Amino acid sequence: MARQFLGHRRDLGGTVRTFRADGALEMDEIEGTHGTRRRIFFEDILLVSYHRERSPLFLAVTGGIALFLMGIGVISASGKRDDAIAGYVMMMFGAPFLIAFLLRLFLQVDVITVFGTHGRARMNFEYRKARARQVHQDICREVRSAQARLRPRIPAATAAPSPPSPVPPREATPE
């Protein structure tokens, strides 16, 4: 089976791309010019979580830049005619940051995290929410089928009964 791209996560340290391969999730970590490949086998996955987050650092940076540029633009636009044109230009430079801030604030980021016994994979989906739900369902389905193949098939009637719980020791009575 060829590797199938599932998702990615970008941060200041680099990019991590997650793929589905034969019996495992593969993560390619790219940091500058250095790359590393890790694997989490479906049999070793303990938990798959799906949640949404707003990324406070992203909101603070884009909101701060938008506020700074738009503030300069408003102050300049309220002055003389020559300054007003420069103010409108500054507001135009601040508009993309304001749009990015509002999109992240209202749409949030869908995050899928896969916890394995020896590692963790995380994928962020900024805009493709249906794709995030589909990837989550596919990973859960693969994990269930891989772990079901490993689970021994013991019928309930032939299973050994659990041992009785130990009886607490009797307290010694003073004589």
Side-chain angles (χ1 to χ4, degrees):
M1 173 182 171
R3 295 189 332 159
Q4 177 188 6
F5 178 72
L6 295 178
H8 66 275
R9 177 180 53 92
R10 289 187 204 109
D11 56 12
L12 296 176
T15 301
V16 179
R17 293 186 181 114
T18 304
F19 298 89
R20 177 178 26 205
D22 288 331
L25 292 176
E26 289 184 352
M27 285 77 58
D28 291 343
E29 299 177 22
I30 302 163
E31 299 170 358
T33 59
H34 180 69
T36 306
R37 180 170 290 169
R38 292 184 304 121
R39 234 179 223 180
I40 299 177
F41 292 99
F42 289 127
E43 295 88 14
D44 296 337
I45 292 177
L46 304 173
L47 174 70
V48 181
S49 71
Y50 178 87
H51 70 279
R52 289 188 176 170
E53 64 183 27
R54 286 195 170 96
S55 307
L57 180 63
F58 181 85
L59 289 175
V61 169
T62 56
I65 293 172
L67 185 66
F68 177 72
L69 294 174
M70 300 286 255
I72 290 175
V74 168
I75 291 170
S76 297
S78 63
K80 301 176 188 170
R81 178 161 172 76
D82 294 336
D83 292 340
I85 293 172
Y88 295 135
V89 170
M90 287 302 284
M91 284 193 276
M92 285 182 8
F93 282 130
F97 293 101
L98 180 64
I99 291 169
F101 174 82
L102 293 174
L103 283 174
R104 180 64 54 93
L105 184 65
F106 293 115
L107 293 180
Q108 300 180 357
V109 176
D110 288 17
V111 179
I112 297 174
T113 309
V114 178
F115 297 94
T117 55
H118 301 291
R120 178 179 76 153
R122 185 174 169 149
M123 294 163 272
N124 295 347
F125 296 87
E126 287 88 7
Y127 304 111
R128 300 178 66 193
K129 309 301 183 182
R131 170 84 175 137
R133 288 188 294 274
Q134 184 63 41
V135 167
H136 181 259
Q137 290 171 358
D138 291 345
I139 291 173
C140 289
R141 184 173 39 257
E142 289 285 337
V143 169
R144 272 192 230 100
S145 67
Q147 292 179 356
R149 285 191 298 265
L150 293 178
R151 200 174 309 132
R153 303 283 183 193
I154 300 175
T158 61
S162 61
S165 60
V167 178
R170 301 176 89 192
E171 293 184 24
T173 56
E175 296 184 31

